[in-house]
Amino acid sequence: MDDFSGKTAVITGAASGIGLELTKQFGDGGMNLVLADVERPARVRAEAVLRDAGREGLARGVGG
């Protein structure tokens, strides 16, 4: 499978490090994104990265 456009990725730890890079790459590939991270400020920044790239994603907090 080479075309991931329109597929959905759920990314945990999406607000930093490898998770954020996956968020960028999958977004660039046209995927629908669900982002999860325990750190709200970082999660908000990750959403901004997507918006700035013209992409959309659903971001939610996880954990207690």
Side-chain angles (χ1 to χ4, degrees):
M1 178 191 281
D2 294 326
D3 182 15
F4 293 97
S5 181
K7 305 292 184 195
T8 300
V10 178
I11 306 169
T12 59
S16 62
I18 292 171
L20 181 57
E21 187 59 30
L22 289 173
T23 296
K24 293 175 185 176
Q25 294 296 317
F26 291 167
D28 288 347
M31 294 186 79
N32 304 311
L33 300 173
V34 179
L35 313 178
D37 202 290
V38 296
E39 296 184 39
R40 186 179 188 287
R43 194 172 61 245
V44 170
R45 285 192 302 273
E47 285 181 284
V49 166
L50 284 178
R51 273 194 315 273
D52 291 348
R55 305 282 183 221
E56 293 185 30
L58 174 65
R60 294 291 183 254
V62 294

